[in-house]
Amino acid sequence: MTKQHNCDVLIIGSGAAGLTLALHLAKNADVVILSKGPLNEGSTFYAQGGVAAVFDENDSIDAHVKDTLIAGAGLCDESSVQYTAENAKACLEWLINQGVAFDQESDNKGGERYHLTREGGHSHRRILHAADATGQAIQTTLAEQVKKHSRIRIFERFNAIDLICHNAEHTSQTKECIGAYVWNRNSEKVESIYAQKTILATGGASKVYQYTSNPDVASGDGIAMAWRAGCRVANMEFNQFHPTCLFHPSAGTFLLTEALRGEGAKLRRPDGSRFMPAFDERAELAPRDIVARAIDYEMKRLGADCMYLDISHKPSDFIKQHFPNIYEKTLSLGIDITKQPIPIVPAAHYTCGGVMVNHQGKTDVNQLYAIGEMSYTGLHGANRLASNSLLECLVFARAAAIEISDTLKQKHRFQTLPDWDESRVTDSDEEVVIQHNWHELRLFMWDYVGIVRTTKRLARALHRVELLQREIDEYYRNFKVSNNLLELRNLVQVAELIIRCAMARKESRGLHYTLDYPEMLPQALPTILTPDPLCSAEETMSNVAAESLK
């Protein structure tokens, strides 16, 4: 018999979005937070730059909206952008009240004000930050608050396998989510969790690429589970490649924050010459897609392994004060950034598309919500503006909490969930198959569905994904689940969605650049995929963004 847990609200994911939602709901609901690894392991913890919000009297919400729309290359949902910018300051003030200590400076009047930095695509200084470890400050603070609540249970080292749905009653939606099957990595047993409301907050899917700034847990789990449950996804072709990740054999996936360029760092070729002014009048402060393509172009043109990011012209004390973690990390690898340029390469960083939701995070499946990086709110469009990611987590977590609190039943009878059937599976003696398929997937996604694409490359990638899906489906049916198998199953599904969306877009826009269609079409349309084999991506790519996000 499958062990069953019961709760009012199940939150799958423990980053900024999931923890923020849990804290907002804890007064009115019994909450379970599912964390695939340790509570703090996720993309939030490694975010360096900061959170965008209007705190400067010379800045404005209209300016923040305009900058976001420009970065989104005409594909943002304007109502989502406006909603996010208007609620940004209140959400940051809530975060400050939770105990997050953002950097401050003297206001020249004997007092203190928040130090605001500027990043690529922003017209003003509006980035609140905690040195160069903002995500760590947010994650650890929220985790500490969550642990204090008696109505919040934390399940660490649990993988969500699939959502449990049944036919919905008294609603126009055909399906209703009532929980999830989960794999307890501690006991290596499958368990189930019943919940009135289930929220996916699992982050992005950049681990589908060979080179990424993301931690290992970013395997697209929530997107894949929602798709299998019947949710639409949108704009999966727009995967942001961060222009500057540290290039060093011992560095792993170490991100070099956008704020370096915001504070004056220059991009240089191996011979020391600058190249960004030739690509964009904003030079190093151009949006990330432009900077990443420029670096990729120069590397391929010169046959170089990397380019360089140079902030050594700034005072040494300034660098150490504003970028202490980067300084220490690079110094441990023999690079003194106060004197030397930093070797860098682009790497997959952020998933701009995802599961379609409205402003309260509701999906196409009743009682199922999606928030954070894995959701498609329409905020990012064809490219995410720097430091809008953590902001999106905060704003839409709060919005979802309000809606969930208003519709949660206080006296609710828990249902008995179906047992997990593993009577016909065995332990695998071929783990090498998973490892081989994992490496093959990430390599061809990098080569064929990377920063620059072609129709032929996408067709090759789709063919290989379909072969892998058949192998993995067969493997999944015959062997007991494991962490690597579950992640690979989800990554292959997400890879297919990315490729199908990319094949449907017959233009170059934002983060999607194809040599076969280098021009931008006059009308900006989202790419929407529906989980129906009879409905192609081309048929669903239509101007329905505003309608679908009602």
Side-chain angles (χ1 to χ4, degrees), residues 296-310:
D296 182 70
Y297 176 85
E298 288 295 314
M299 287 172 58
K300 289 176 178 175
R301 183 179 71 86
L302 297 173
D305 291 331
C306 64
M307 292 289 115
Y308 292 87
L309 185 65
D310 186 9

Side-chain angles (χ1 to χ4, degrees), residues 178-433:
I178 53 175
Y181 290 115
V182 301
W183 185 59
N184 184 337
R185 295 169 65 180
N186 305 297
S187 66
E188 298 191 348
K189 298 289 185 181
V190 174
E191 302 173 6
S192 63
I193 303 176
Y194 173 83
Q196 285 191 59
K197 309 277 188 178
T198 300
I199 298 89
L200 296 168
T202 60
S206 288
K207 207 65 183 178
V208 76
Y209 288 100
Q210 183 179 21
Y211 301 111
T212 174
S213 65
N214 286 193
D216 287 340
V217 294
S219 51
D221 302 330
I223 297 171
M225 285 190 292
W227 174 261
R228 291 194 292 265
C231 296
R232 291 171 298 162
V233 302
N235 284 9
M236 289 296 293
E237 68 270 38
F238 298 114
N239 200 100
Q240 189 174 64
F241 290 81
H242 196 286
T244 54
C245 281
L246 180 60
F247 180 73
H248 191 281
S250 302
T253 54
F254 188 73
L255 181 70
L256 296 166
T257 175
E258 193 93 4
L260 279 162
R261 286 182 283 125
E263 294 297 341
K266 308 300 181 186
L267 283 162
R268 302 188 186 278
R269 301 182 181 94
D271 66 1
S273 61
R274 290 179 66 195
F275 57 88
M276 276 311 302
F279 288 88
D280 192 281
E281 63 182 9
R282 291 165 291 187
E284 281 79 9
L285 290 179
R288 290 176 176 177
D289 60 319
I290 295 173
V291 178
R293 277 203 303 274
I295 295 170
D296 182 70
Y297 176 85
E298 288 295 314
M299 287 172 58
K300 289 176 178 175
R301 183 179 71 86
L302 297 173
D305 291 331
C306 64
M307 292 289 115
Y308 292 87
L309 185 65
D310 186 9
I311 198 170
S312 61
H313 54 280
K314 288 285 187 176
S316 177
D317 289 343
F318 174 89
I319 296 171
K320 294 175 183 178
Q321 177 186 353
H322 287 279
F323 307 106
N325 291 307
I326 293 175
Y327 173 76
E328 293 295 337
K329 175 68 174 181
T330 51
L331 194 63
S332 72
L333 298 171
I335 304 167
D336 185 347
I337 65 172
T338 67
K339 301 175 181 178
Q340 302 168 258
I342 313 165
I344 55 95
V345 290
H349 182 57
Y350 191 85
T351 306
C352 287
V355 178
M356 295 188 71
V357 297
N358 66 5
H359 286 176
Q360 289 73 47
K362 296 180 71 173
T363 71
D364 294 327
V365 174
N366 199 32
Q367 310 302 348
L368 178 65
Y369 299 73
I371 55 175
E373 184 178 352
M374 65 154 292
S375 68
Y376 169 74
T377 62
L379 172 64
H380 305 307
N383 187 14
R384 176 179 69 89
L385 182 66
S387 290
N388 270 354
S389 54
L390 291 172
L391 176 62
E392 182 183 39
C393 292
L394 301 171
V395 169
F396 286 90
R398 187 178 73 163
I402 294 170
E403 204 279 335
I404 290 169
S405 295
D406 289 343
T407 57
L408 199 67
K409 298 176 182 177
Q410 292 303 313
K411 294 183 179 180
H412 185 74
R413 180 179 297 176
F414 297 123
Q415 301 179 28
T416 300
L417 299 173
D419 283 336
W420 176 263
D421 182 9
E422 58 180 11
S423 59
R424 291 170 291 180
V425 299
T426 61
D427 289 318
S428 171
D429 59 356
E430 291 288 340
E431 188 73 15
V432 67
V433 174

Side-chain angles (χ1 to χ4, degrees), residues 448 453-462 464 503 514 516:
Y448 296 154
R453 302 160 179 175
T454 68
T455 301
K456 184 179 290 185
R457 292 175 192 171
L458 294 175
R460 286 172 175 164
L462 183 61
R464 282 159 174 77
M503 294 180 79
T514 170
D516 293 313

